[in-house]
Amino acid sequence: MNKKIKLLKRELSELKSWLRIFKKPDFYCKYFFYLIFAFATILLFLLFRDTGNLLRFDLTALNKWWTYFTHSYFHDDWSHLSQNLQGYLVLTSLLYVLYYKFGIEKLLRRAYIIIFITMPFITSLTNYLADELFFEKHFPPMSGSSDIVSALIG
């Protein structure tokens, strides 16, 4: 019985140490960096809703080099946008708390920058190569940040 009480006290102490993170003044200021993507994605959706075809990666229009990078930041509709942002915000919040707790938040920031720059290009290139090497028909145009959210998962 005494061992169980000691274990419970240890667990409560650990929980309190995790909750202290949220009281630190710089915690929320640093978290704002990760919200920039969410705000930018919503802004792009609102600004380019009518001209979104110019931003999607389309295998039939490979001369649009910018679409290799922009397709991840454009979404087809509000449902598509909200699903991607939900996954992004949940994962970002969890990862940020973990990295902040262990004092390696700078590593997470560097990883995010690399992911946001490379993942759109990698998914476009993969889609292109898969279509050229294995499939006869062309895939539909790509849009959305599911590739970025998936990269955050692991």
Side-chain angles (χ1 to χ4, degrees):
M1 186 69 159
N2 204 9
K3 288 182 182 180
K4 288 182 181 180
I5 292 173
K6 285 182 180 179
L7 180 64
L8 183 60
K9 284 182 180 180
R10 192 174 339 139
E11 293 295 326
L12 283 173
S13 174
E14 182 67 25
L15 179 61
K16 285 179 184 178
S17 76
W18 278 93
L19 292 175
R20 279 189 214 109
I21 293 172
F22 299 104
K23 292 182 180 178
K24 293 185 178 180
D26 68 332
F27 176 82
Y28 297 102
C29 294
K30 290 180 179 180
Y31 184 68
F32 184 75
F33 170 82
Y34 302 98
L35 296 179
I36 291 172
F37 171 74
F39 294 133
T41 305
I42 293 170
L43 185 63
L44 285 172
F45 178 75
L46 294 172
L47 292 175
F48 296 107
R49 192 177 330 177
D50 298 330
T51 59
N53 287 334
L54 296 173
L55 302 174
R56 287 188 184 109
F57 178 72
D58 190 354
L59 287 167
T60 60
L62 293 176
N63 60 342
K64 297 179 185 176
W65 61 267
W66 61 88
T67 63
Y68 281 87
F69 299 97
T70 59
H71 77 274
S72 290
Y73 307 105
F74 177 77
H75 294 78
D76 294 327
D77 54 34
W78 279 107
S79 173
H80 185 206
L81 175 65
S82 68
Q83 289 171 359
N84 280 189
L85 285 179
Q86 286 171 7
Y88 173 77
L89 292 173
V90 167
L91 285 169
T92 297
S93 299
L94 291 172
L95 287 172
Y96 179 69
V97 168
L98 285 171
Y99 278 70
Y100 189 90
K101 168 71 175 164
F102 295 110
I104 52 174
E105 189 264 334
K106 287 182 181 180
L107 178 65
L108 180 66
R109 188 176 303 149
R110 288 182 192 131
Y112 265 65
I113 291 169
I114 291 168
I115 287 170
F116 282 95
I117 292 171
T118 60
M119 282 313 296
F121 180 74
I122 290 170
T123 54
S124 300
L125 188 61
T126 305
N127 194 349
Y128 171 75
L129 291 174
D131 187 64
E132 289 295 317
L133 297 175
F134 302 111
F135 300 101
E136 299 285 327
K137 59 182 181 175
H138 290 291
F139 291 119
M142 286 192 319
S143 64
S145 56
S146 301
D147 53 352
I148 293 173
V149 174
S150 298
L152 294 175
I153 290 173

